[in-house]
Amino acid sequence: MSEFEKIVRDIVFDSPPEEISLVYDNLQVLSDGQSKQQIASIIQEFNEKHRVPAAKGEERYLVSEYNKSGSKYFDPVNKVLFAVDHITREASDIEEYTSEDATQVQSDLYDELSKYVSNFFPDTAVFNVFKIPESDQYAIIVVSNKKSLGDFWTGYWLSEYVYDVDGDTISGEVSVDAHYFEDGNVRFKSTASLESAQTDSPIVSIKQFENEFEKNLINKFQYMNETQFKGLRRRLPVTRAKINWGQGIGNYRLGRDAAQGA
Amino acid sequence: MSVDEKYDAACELLYRLDPTKVKTHLQNLIALEPEIAEGLLSSIDIPLTIKKDTDANNKEFLCCDYNRDIDSHRSPWSNQYFPELSAEDLKESPFPSEPLRELEVACNNSFELYRDLYYEGGYTSTYLWDVDESTDFAGVILFKKAESDDSKWDSIHVISATHDEEGMEVTYNVTTTVILHLENLSKEQQLSLSGNLTRENSKTVKLQNVSTVEQLVPAHSSSLGSMIEDIESKLRSMLEIVYFEKTLDIYNVLRERNDDSTKLQKEQHSELIENFQKL
């Protein structure tokens, strides 16, 4: 891997997922527009890894290595085959997908997942169930992405699980990545893993795990604010008054000096 | 593309990429375009480092690009560079003029007090430098508090003080960046809130009954003191809002509960509004 490719990869893979097209523009400037194809292919890799949704009108489709077919992607449940512009994230060239039918397990998981997502995520959330090639496993994926660049924020939710039909087990991970950038750069990230667990109802297990994730998240926020943040800098000194910076400054004693009777 | 365009693109990237990795990204961007190095290094704030002043009972002082010369940093306590520079290098090293050094000492003393009252620990250092052989000056006021790797605060105030022609008033400009890192890593869930906010402020102060250098020192140090105190108070509130409210607001639009009980609440709420509108 060239030094250039390594650097571009570091930058792309550290970007807020909803800001990739802006990162692409900056990288174009920094590389004098000389490496468009190379940068675009790293972004494609990033999009597949993050299961980024591609849109065509109201329709939104996930891309991943599981639903790739040549240069296109397929959605077996909705029976479409589509191409994706990885910079704009637009889907195009949509055809009917006929090579393979969704399995019964896949359709059932999809229907149940659909109910869960409509109850716990905004209408724009995208989900799917892909068969993992040459296995008895299914990838269950939910993506919820939102942004308002004018209000200086973007956010990305990705949860993904592997359901093993033979063993009736499920494992996976949730990750949340939010970016706020008005006069600054603040990043909030949280992840949690679901260790392989027996289940007779994978979607119920996912719902329980994600509700737990949310509960822990809110508790941790509270702890960070009330304990960690408050421990760094006080709102006001113990005296509850601002410092008298005039002639009176000499009347203050350093706590340490005072304690030592200095 | 011109160097200026590349510099702007690099700055934009640094405002998008994960702030916890700012050092790596800075190095990478400089490797892509070495000509933007100087601009980036002087405008992008990174967490402060700590050194010990062996000429002042090993008292710690804060280091950044502003008190650096070659690979050494000047301590505000003994006014010496650490590690020690060769006599040859030292001839070229920046030091504040004698009257400004007096003000630097006074500011370090008063901000030690401020640090103790607000941070109850941590470190502070103030560095000043002369501007154009006038009474104007510029400087940087630094604070650092790190309870552990889980919670760290760095505040960096870059200041300038400009006198009017009659010497009757002085205008202070301050650009403040606070770098705040919080994380909570447990086995079942990792959470990190990290980044920085920057704000600019300025204030003009009348210099009443201030005619001698002895009077200027307390006048400047108390003006700067109250200004920094106000700015940090405001930024602390902003940080609290951005870190604990804005980010959670974003989370709440990503996963929002639409189950029956909230749907019912929403319906009841809109019904209530409709009824009000009918009145």
Side-chain angles (χ1 to χ4, degrees):
Chain A
M1 198 187 298
S2 71
E3 176 70 7
F4 176 79
E5 189 186 341
K6 199 193 149 290
I7 290 174
V8 171
R9 193 170 283 274
D10 271 2
I11 290 172
V12 168
F13 276 84
D14 202 38
S15 304
E18 288 301 287
E19 292 166 48
I20 276 291
S21 69
L22 299 161
V23 168
Y24 174 76
D25 291 344
N26 292 147
L27 286 171
Q28 285 295 332
V29 172
L30 284 163
S31 59
D32 292 305
Q34 296 294 306
S35 313
K36 281 189 184 169
Q37 202 44 54
Q38 198 177 9
I39 298 169
S41 83
I42 293 170
I43 289 178
Q44 173 175 347
E45 231 179 278
F46 175 89
N47 286 348
E48 287 174 1
K49 184 170 172 269
H50 287 82
R51 288 46 173 129
V52 160
K56 165 90 178 171
E58 295 277 283
E59 297 300 321
R60 289 153 66 86
Y61 309 103
L62 296 180
V63 303
S64 74
E65 71 274 22
Y66 302 131
N67 63 325
K68 211 171 166 178
S69 169
S71 64
K72 295 183 106 180
Y73 300 88
F74 58 91
D75 177 340
V77 181
N78 299 301
K79 293 198 169 301
V80 289
L81 187 67
F82 55 97
V84 173
D85 177 327
H86 283 279
I87 309 301
T88 62
R89 293 180 179 172
E90 281 163 7
S92 62
D93 200 7
I94 294 177
E95 300 168 69
E96 195 185 353
Y97 178 68
T98 50
S99 340
E100 192 184 0
D101 285 328
T103 64
Q104 190 59 46
V105 176
Q106 196 171 6
S107 306
D108 290 349
L109 284 172
Y110 185 93
D111 290 343
E112 245 194 288
L113 182 64
S114 162
K115 279 181 216 147
Y116 164 62
V117 170
S118 73
N119 281 337
F120 285 86
F121 290 87
D123 297 342
T124 49
V126 193
F127 57 91
N128 217 322
V129 179
F130 298 124
K131 194 168 189 314
I132 298 177
E134 288 156 46
S135 76
D136 252 336
Q137 295 178 331
Y138 291 90
I140 301 170
I141 302 170
V142 179
V143 173
S144 179
N145 56 342
K146 291 268 187 187
K147 67 174 163 185
S148 178
L149 295 177
D151 297 319
F152 309 101
W153 64 265
T154 64
Y156 203 84
W157 164 292
L158 169 63
S159 56
E160 177 168 337
Y161 305 87
V162 172
Y163 173 56
D164 187 289
V165 181
D166 281 348
D168 262 342
T169 56
I170 188 158
S171 60
E173 193 180 88
V174 176
S175 70
V176 174
D177 187 340
H179 184 213
Y180 184 82
F181 49 95
E182 184 174 21
D183 295 326
N185 177 10
V186 176
R187 195 82 170 257
F188 149 50
K189 285 183 180 175
S190 187
T191 56
S193 298
L194 173 64
E195 303 300 336
S196 182
Q198 285 284 316
T199 181
D200 43 19
S201 176
I203 307 299
V204 171
S205 300
I206 289 172
K207 177 178 155 177
Q208 284 167 350
F209 175 65
E210 294 186 352
N211 284 343
E212 191 64 22
F213 173 85
E214 186 165 303
K215 205 179 92 193
N216 285 337
L217 184 88
I218 288 161
N219 287 340
K220 280 178 189 280
F221 257 82
Q222 209 167 355
Y223 177 79
M224 279 185 159
N225 190 351
E226 287 170 8
T227 308
Q228 291 174 263
F229 181 64
K230 286 200 168 55
L232 287 172
R233 187 190 179 281
R234 300 182 64 92
R235 192 186 300 276
L236 279 172
V238 189
T239 56
R240 298 196 178 189
K242 285 201 167 182
I243 296 173
N244 177 4
W245 287 95
Q247 299 302 318
I249 188 92
N251 296 333
Y252 291 92
R253 287 304 254 325
L254 287 177
R256 205 176 39 213
D257 294 348
Q260 289 167 350
Chain B
M1 301 288 167
S2 71
V3 172
D4 283 352
E5 285 172 298
K6 291 188 177 184
Y7 171 78
D8 289 346
C11 285
E12 262 183 58
L13 275 178
L14 289 169
Y15 268 89
R16 298 204 183 284
L17 302 175
D18 193 332
T20 58
K21 297 177 195 151
V22 61
K23 271 189 178 171
T24 311
H25 290 309
L26 206 53
Q27 282 164 3
N28 278 342
L29 290 165
I30 289 169
L32 282 185
E33 181 50 73
E35 282 193 56
I36 61 178
E38 201 179 325
L40 282 187
L41 289 174
S42 66
S43 65
I44 300 296
D45 292 309
I46 57 170
L48 304 164
T49 54
I50 299 170
K51 281 188 181 175
K52 284 184 176 170
D53 183 337
T54 49
D55 287 355
N57 298 320
N58 283 326
K59 192 171 164 68
E60 291 92 347
F61 64 98
L62 295 172
C63 306
C64 63
D65 210 41
Y66 293 104
N67 63 325
R68 182 183 62 83
D69 189 35
I70 312 175
D71 290 322
S72 295
H73 290 89
R74 184 168 68 88
S75 160
W77 318 125
S78 65
N79 203 22
Q80 299 300 314
Y81 280 88
F82 298 92
E84 205 177 319
L85 291 167
S86 69
E88 190 70 16
D89 288 330
L90 213 50
K91 277 184 208 155
E92 308 273 311
S93 298
F95 286 96
S97 62
E98 218 169 286
L100 198 64
R101 171 63 188 159
E102 207 179 304
L103 177 59
E104 188 181 84
V105 170
C107 287
N108 274 291
N109 287 337
S110 61
F111 284 120
E112 270 280 88
L113 201 140
Y114 170 92
R115 175 198 56 70
D116 198 53
L117 291 169
Y118 279 96
Y119 291 91
E120 299 179 314
Y123 307 97
T124 180
S125 297
T126 298
Y127 302 99
L128 303 179
W129 53 93
D130 297 87
V131 176
D132 298 337
E133 302 194 4
S134 65
T135 49
D136 295 348
F137 60 90
V140 64
I141 299 162
L142 310 170
F143 299 93
K144 185 181 186 78
K145 173 103 182 264
E147 288 289 80
S148 61
D149 282 346
D150 295 346
S151 47
K152 291 183 264 190
W153 168 298
D154 291 272
S155 50
I156 299 162
H157 305 271
V158 180
I159 59 149
S160 71
T162 316
H163 296 79
D164 69 339
E165 278 179 22
E166 289 81 32
M168 298 298 284
E169 52 181 43
V170 58
T171 300
Y172 301 98
N173 288 303
V174 184
T175 302
T176 300
T177 297
V178 176
I179 305 170
L180 174 62
H181 175 75
L182 298 169
E183 64 183 19
N184 187 310
L185 309 177
S186 58
K187 196 168 164 261
E188 74 273 11
Q189 191 161 339
Q190 290 80 48
L191 176 65
S192 72
L193 281 167
S194 191
N196 56 73
L197 291 185
T198 298
R199 289 291 184 280
E200 286 178 25
N201 285 275
S202 74
K203 188 164 101 176
T204 299
V205 178
K206 288 232 179 328
L207 291 173
Q208 275 165 344
N209 306 320
V210 177
S211 49
T212 65
V213 175
E214 289 74 38
Q215 289 166 326
L216 264 173
V217 167
H220 280 309
S221 67
S222 64
S223 297
L224 286 169
S226 68
M227 218 177 149
I228 296 303
E229 185 179 26
D230 285 347
I231 293 168
E232 285 207 339
S233 298
K234 278 192 202 127
L235 257 167
R236 187 190 181 281
S237 306
M238 285 180 192
L239 285 162
E240 195 166 19
I241 291 168
V242 169
Y243 274 62
F244 301 108
E245 292 177 26
K246 296 276 185 191
T247 52
L248 210 49
D249 287 348
I250 300 171
Y251 175 83
N252 285 326
V253 299
L254 295 176
R255 189 174 193 257
E256 55 177 24
R257 208 171 266 269
N258 295 315
D259 57 3
D260 293 341
S261 67
T262 45
K263 268 184 197 151
L264 194 66
Q265 274 176 16
K266 273 186 198 163
E267 274 167 30
Q268 286 170 341
H269 187 71
S270 53
E271 218 171 279
L272 204 66
I273 291 172
E274 269 173 41
N275 289 338
F276 269 120
Q277 284 166 342
K278 281 179 202 155
L279 288 175

